[in-house]
Amino acid sequence: CSDAKPVTVPEIRAAKGERKLCMVTAYDYPSARIADQAGVDMILVGDSLAMVVLGQQDTLGVTMEDMLHHTLAASRGRSRALLVGDMPFLSYQADVAEAVRNAGRFLAQGRANAVKLEGGKAYAPHVAAMVGAGIPVVGHVGLTPQYFNTLGGFKTQGRSAASARAMLEDAKALEEAGAFAMVLEAVPEETAALITRELTIPTIGIGAGNVTDGQVLVLHDLLGLFDRFVPKFVKQYAQIGPAMVDALQSYCDEVRSGAFPAPEHTFRLPPEERDKLA
Ligand code: KIV
Ligand code: NA
């Protein structure tokens, strides 16, 4: 993997209609390394960090400092995948200038290649300013978890023809502002199909059916490392959490029985030094 060419923003754009894009979250050096070795196209340091790594109840409390700390760690673990930093709550909403500065910090201090932000056409000016500053942007419409208080919970979005069309308008405004890809979260397949058909940039679905140009999942969900709840749209490809508990139980059992450490894990004095100690 280390000699593979890094994935670029133009390559992600050009993938539309050619090949499906594979994206996954990662939040630190080992997880980014694993994702990169698996050959994903894009790694997202998601603000889902708040929930799956920091144990918070929602994503609202995660800070720029938290995100930059983890983005920089993840950047050290990947060599090929495009690294996208997720703009946390209140890092971009207040005004365009602050949004550009914070987005820039993801590239300059987090060593990301791009940022992602939640929200519709109200953020087109923010996206345009970021792109103008040389910061590639991924949009995110549908269920936008930073807005759960406004949305009334974590609900599927775009469930009527009218709301599907409104979501399409949002997505188009972000595309026109210069976004190079669009996450669609928790929307009916028909809504995702409409947006995927109408946009010229790739759509990346999570809970958006099989019609999008790519997929994204939270690493801890797909590996079975997060057991608080499993959304309907998650497929668990492994049960790493229980496997880790098993391994640690074996370790504790062997410590308590004295089976670990064995001679092969143990340093010894040379015989002549051992004799002097006797
Ligand atoms: O924070 C996150 O993990 C995300 C993905 C689910 C798209 O935004
Ligand atoms: Na997110």
Side-chain angles (χ1 to χ4, degrees):
C1 263
S2 55
D3 52 353
K5 271 200 311 90
V7 175
T8 66
V9 166
E11 281 166 18
I12 297 297
R13 278 183 183 273
K16 187 170 179 106
E18 296 295 321
R19 63 183 181 94
K20 292 256 192 183
L21 293 165
C22 178
M23 187 179 202
V24 72
T25 67
Y27 311 94
D28 58 14
Y29 173 77
S31 59
R33 208 170 141 73
I34 288 164
D36 203 278
Q37 284 171 3
V40 305
D41 299 301
M42 289 187 278
I43 292 172
L44 172 66
V45 184
D47 66 351
S48 52
L49 166 75
M51 297 169 77
V52 301
V53 175
L54 303 180
Q56 298 170 3
Q57 285 302 311
D58 55 53
T59 58
L60 298 187
V62 77
T63 65
M64 274 300 297
E65 276 58 43
D66 294 331
M67 292 304 302
L68 291 175
H69 181 76
H70 285 268
T71 303
L72 183 59
S75 79
R76 298 188 185 115
R78 65 80 208 238
S79 49
R80 177 182 170 273
L82 188 94
L83 186 66
V84 182
D86 208 7
M87 299 206 65
F89 182 57
L90 282 195
S91 68
Y92 63 96
Q93 285 94 339
D95 65 62
V96 170
E98 187 174 37
V100 174
R101 281 193 197 96
N102 280 326
R105 293 180 73 196
F106 271 98
L107 273 57
Q109 292 166 244
R111 310 309 298 170
N113 305 114
V115 298
K116 177 175 82 57
L117 59 85
E118 296 180 7
K121 58 184 167 201
Y123 295 99
H126 306 61
V127 172
M130 290 173 190
V131 173
I135 304 161
V137 181
V138 177
H140 182 163
V141 297
L143 173 56
T144 46
Q146 290 178 21
Y147 297 76
F148 80 89
N149 284 297
T150 306
L151 298 172
F154 299 90
K155 296 176 181 168
T156 312
Q157 302 295 309
R159 280 174 301 172
S160 67
S163 67
R165 285 202 192 92
M167 197 183 298
L168 172 61
E169 254 191 55
D170 283 330
K172 273 196 158 164
L174 296 164
E175 171 177 291
E176 277 158 26
F180 73 92
M182 189 68 51
V183 169
L184 307 180
E185 178 165 352
V187 298
E189 187 169 68
E190 295 84 352
T191 302
L194 170 73
I195 297 173
T196 298
R197 195 166 64 236
E198 292 291 323
L199 293 191
T200 64
I201 56 174
T203 55
I204 313 291
I206 172 163
N210 202 12
V211 295
T212 51
D213 299 307
Q215 298 289 329
V216 58
L217 279 176
V218 169
L219 182 84
H220 291 58
D221 286 340
L222 87 87
L223 292 184
L225 271 171
F226 183 74
D227 57 6
R228 227 193 292 153
F229 56 86
V230 182
K232 170 184 165 70
F233 54 74
V234 167
K235 178 170 176 183
Q236 289 186 317
Y237 285 86
Q239 285 295 335
I240 303 297
M244 289 170 89
V245 174
D246 273 357
L248 290 173
Q249 275 173 346
S250 300
Y251 163 65
C252 286
D253 288 348
E254 292 197 4
V255 167
R256 288 176 185 130
S257 72
F260 176 83
E264 66 266 30
H265 310 117
T266 304
F267 303 109
R268 302 291 307 270
L269 280 177
E272 64 280 13
E273 295 300 317
R274 203 186 312 153
D275 294 344
K276 287 189 230 162
L277 269 187

PDB file of all heavy atoms in Angstrom, residues 44-48 59 86-87 116 118 140 145-146 185, ligand 2:
ATOM      1  N   LEU A  44     -12.746   9.296   6.596  1.00  0.00           N
ATOM      2  CA  LEU A  44     -13.388  10.448   7.235  1.00  0.00           C
ATOM      3  C   LEU A  44     -13.090  10.427   8.731  1.00  0.00           C
ATOM      4  O   LEU A  44     -13.407   9.446   9.407  1.00  0.00           O
ATOM      5  CB  LEU A  44     -14.909  10.380   7.025  1.00  0.00           C
ATOM      6  CG  LEU A  44     -15.731  11.423   7.796  1.00  0.00           C
ATOM      7  CD1 LEU A  44     -15.448  12.838   7.292  1.00  0.00           C
ATOM      8  CD2 LEU A  44     -17.225  11.114   7.707  1.00  0.00           C
ATOM      9  N   VAL A  45     -12.459  11.492   9.214  1.00  0.00           N
ATOM     10  CA  VAL A  45     -12.379  11.666  10.664  1.00  0.00           C
ATOM     11  C   VAL A  45     -13.689  12.361  11.046  1.00  0.00           C
ATOM     12  O   VAL A  45     -13.804  13.584  10.999  1.00  0.00           O
ATOM     13  CB  VAL A  45     -11.148  12.483  11.080  1.00  0.00           C
ATOM     14  CG1 VAL A  45     -11.046  12.548  12.609  1.00  0.00           C
ATOM     15  CG2 VAL A  45      -9.885  11.878  10.499  1.00  0.00           C
ATOM     16  N   GLY A  46     -14.708  11.544  11.308  1.00  0.00           N
ATOM     17  CA  GLY A  46     -16.065  12.047  11.535  1.00  0.00           C
ATOM     18  C   GLY A  46     -16.203  12.642  12.927  1.00  0.00           C
ATOM     19  O   GLY A  46     -15.479  12.263  13.851  1.00  0.00           O
ATOM     20  N   ASP A  47     -17.177  13.554  13.046  1.00  0.00           N
ATOM     21  CA  ASP A  47     -17.468  14.035  14.403  1.00  0.00           C
ATOM     22  C   ASP A  47     -18.217  12.958  15.197  1.00  0.00           C
ATOM     23  O   ASP A  47     -18.450  13.121  16.403  1.00  0.00           O
ATOM     24  CB  ASP A  47     -18.215  15.378  14.392  1.00  0.00           C
ATOM     25  CG  ASP A  47     -19.606  15.292  13.801  1.00  0.00           C
ATOM     26  OD1 ASP A  47     -19.972  14.250  13.241  1.00  0.00           O
ATOM     27  OD2 ASP A  47     -20.341  16.308  13.910  1.00  0.00           O
ATOM     28  N   SER A  48     -18.538  11.830  14.542  1.00  0.00           N
ATOM     29  CA  SER A  48     -19.004  10.637  15.266  1.00  0.00           C
ATOM     30  C   SER A  48     -17.955  10.208  16.285  1.00  0.00           C
ATOM     31  O   SER A  48     -18.260   9.425  17.201  1.00  0.00           O
ATOM     32  CB  SER A  48     -19.305   9.503  14.286  1.00  0.00           C
ATOM     33  OG  SER A  48     -18.209   9.280  13.420  1.00  0.00           O
ATOM     34  N   THR A  59     -23.151  14.443  18.990  1.00  0.00           N
ATOM     35  CA  THR A  59     -21.927  15.001  18.399  1.00  0.00           C
ATOM     36  C   THR A  59     -21.711  16.482  18.727  1.00  0.00           C
ATOM     37  O   THR A  59     -20.734  17.065  18.270  1.00  0.00           O
ATOM     38  CB  THR A  59     -21.945  14.836  16.860  1.00  0.00           C
ATOM     39  OG1 THR A  59     -23.103  15.481  16.324  1.00  0.00           O
ATOM     40  CG2 THR A  59     -21.948  13.375  16.459  1.00  0.00           C
ATOM     41  N   ASP A  86     -14.046  16.275   9.531  1.00  0.00           N
ATOM     42  CA  ASP A  86     -15.456  16.644   9.693  1.00  0.00           C
ATOM     43  C   ASP A  86     -15.546  17.896  10.566  1.00  0.00           C
ATOM     44  O   ASP A  86     -15.076  17.898  11.705  1.00  0.00           O
ATOM     45  CB  ASP A  86     -16.175  15.483  10.386  1.00  0.00           C
ATOM     46  CG  ASP A  86     -17.645  15.396  10.039  1.00  0.00           C
ATOM     47  OD1 ASP A  86     -18.115  16.144   9.167  1.00  0.00           O
ATOM     48  OD2 ASP A  86     -18.320  14.539  10.649  1.00  0.00           O
ATOM     49  N   MET A  87     -16.164  18.962  10.036  1.00  0.00           N
ATOM     50  CA  MET A  87     -16.220  20.210  10.795  1.00  0.00           C
ATOM     51  C   MET A  87     -17.222  20.078  11.940  1.00  0.00           C
ATOM     52  O   MET A  87     -18.399  19.782  11.716  1.00  0.00           O
ATOM     53  CB  MET A  87     -16.592  21.363   9.865  1.00  0.00           C
ATOM     54  CG  MET A  87     -15.526  21.522   8.771  1.00  0.00           C
ATOM     55  SD  MET A  87     -15.424  23.177   8.118  1.00  0.00           S
ATOM     56  CE  MET A  87     -14.856  24.079   9.542  1.00  0.00           C
ATOM     57  N   LYS A 116     -15.551  18.158   5.574  1.00  0.00           N
ATOM     58  CA  LYS A 116     -16.966  17.901   5.330  1.00  0.00           C
ATOM     59  C   LYS A 116     -17.766  18.757   6.289  1.00  0.00           C
ATOM     60  O   LYS A 116     -17.342  18.983   7.430  1.00  0.00           O
ATOM     61  CB  LYS A 116     -17.283  16.419   5.560  1.00  0.00           C
ATOM     62  CG  LYS A 116     -18.772  16.070   5.392  1.00  0.00           C
ATOM     63  CD  LYS A 116     -19.038  14.588   5.493  1.00  0.00           C
ATOM     64  CE  LYS A 116     -19.136  14.061   6.901  1.00  0.00           C
ATOM     65  NZ  LYS A 116     -20.175  14.715   7.741  1.00  0.00           N
ATOM     66  N   GLU A 118     -22.022  19.612   7.542  1.00  0.00           N
ATOM     67  CA  GLU A 118     -23.448  19.306   7.472  1.00  0.00           C
ATOM     68  C   GLU A 118     -24.228  20.570   7.133  1.00  0.00           C
ATOM     69  O   GLU A 118     -23.908  21.653   7.633  1.00  0.00           O
ATOM     70  CB  GLU A 118     -23.946  18.796   8.839  1.00  0.00           C
ATOM     71  CG  GLU A 118     -23.326  17.493   9.283  1.00  0.00           C
ATOM     72  CD  GLU A 118     -23.857  17.045  10.642  1.00  0.00           C
ATOM     73  OE1 GLU A 118     -24.797  17.675  11.180  1.00  0.00           O
ATOM     74  OE2 GLU A 118     -23.324  16.051  11.167  1.00  0.00           O
ATOM     75  N   HIS A 140     -22.958  17.439   3.085  1.00  0.00           N
ATOM     76  CA  HIS A 140     -23.643  16.383   3.859  1.00  0.00           C
ATOM     77  C   HIS A 140     -25.084  16.840   4.069  1.00  0.00           C
ATOM     78  O   HIS A 140     -25.316  17.801   4.807  1.00  0.00           O
ATOM     79  CB  HIS A 140     -22.903  16.184   5.193  1.00  0.00           C
ATOM     80  CG  HIS A 140     -23.458  15.108   6.089  1.00  0.00           C
ATOM     81  ND1 HIS A 140     -22.717  14.574   7.133  1.00  0.00           N
ATOM     82  CD2 HIS A 140     -24.655  14.469   6.130  1.00  0.00           C
ATOM     83  CE1 HIS A 140     -23.439  13.666   7.771  1.00  0.00           C
ATOM     84  NE2 HIS A 140     -24.632  13.594   7.182  1.00  0.00           N
ATOM     85  N   PRO A 145     -26.777  14.994  11.880  1.00  0.00           N
ATOM     86  CA  PRO A 145     -26.926  14.788  13.334  1.00  0.00           C
ATOM     87  C   PRO A 145     -26.676  16.035  14.190  1.00  0.00           C
ATOM     88  O   PRO A 145     -27.217  16.123  15.296  1.00  0.00           O
ATOM     89  CB  PRO A 145     -25.909  13.687  13.643  1.00  0.00           C
ATOM     90  CG  PRO A 145     -25.803  12.924  12.361  1.00  0.00           C
ATOM     91  CD  PRO A 145     -25.906  13.968  11.276  1.00  0.00           C
ATOM     92  N   GLN A 146     -25.898  17.009  13.671  1.00  0.00           N
ATOM     93  CA  GLN A 146     -25.700  18.229  14.461  1.00  0.00           C
ATOM     94  C   GLN A 146     -27.005  19.010  14.618  1.00  0.00           C
ATOM     95  O   GLN A 146     -27.095  19.901  15.455  1.00  0.00           O
ATOM     96  CB  GLN A 146     -24.636  19.129  13.815  1.00  0.00           C
ATOM     97  CG  GLN A 146     -23.218  18.558  13.918  1.00  0.00           C
ATOM     98  CD  GLN A 146     -22.169  19.419  13.227  1.00  0.00           C
ATOM     99  OE1 GLN A 146     -22.370  20.609  12.999  1.00  0.00           O
ATOM    100  NE2 GLN A 146     -21.043  18.803  12.897  1.00  0.00           N
ATOM    101  N   GLU A 185     -27.299  11.045   4.117  1.00  0.00           N
ATOM    102  CA  GLU A 185     -27.477  10.187   5.297  1.00  0.00           C
ATOM    103  C   GLU A 185     -28.950   9.953   5.591  1.00  0.00           C
ATOM    104  O   GLU A 185     -29.734  10.907   5.687  1.00  0.00           O
ATOM    105  CB  GLU A 185     -26.786  10.826   6.519  1.00  0.00           C
ATOM    106  CG  GLU A 185     -26.979   9.995   7.797  1.00  0.00           C
ATOM    107  CD  GLU A 185     -26.046  10.347   8.939  1.00  0.00           C
ATOM    108  OE1 GLU A 185     -25.107  11.155   8.748  1.00  0.00           O
ATOM    109  OE2 GLU A 185     -26.251   9.788  10.030  1.00  0.00           O
TER     110      GLU A 185
HETATM  111 NA    NA B   2     -20.370  13.655  11.023  1.00  0.00          NA
END
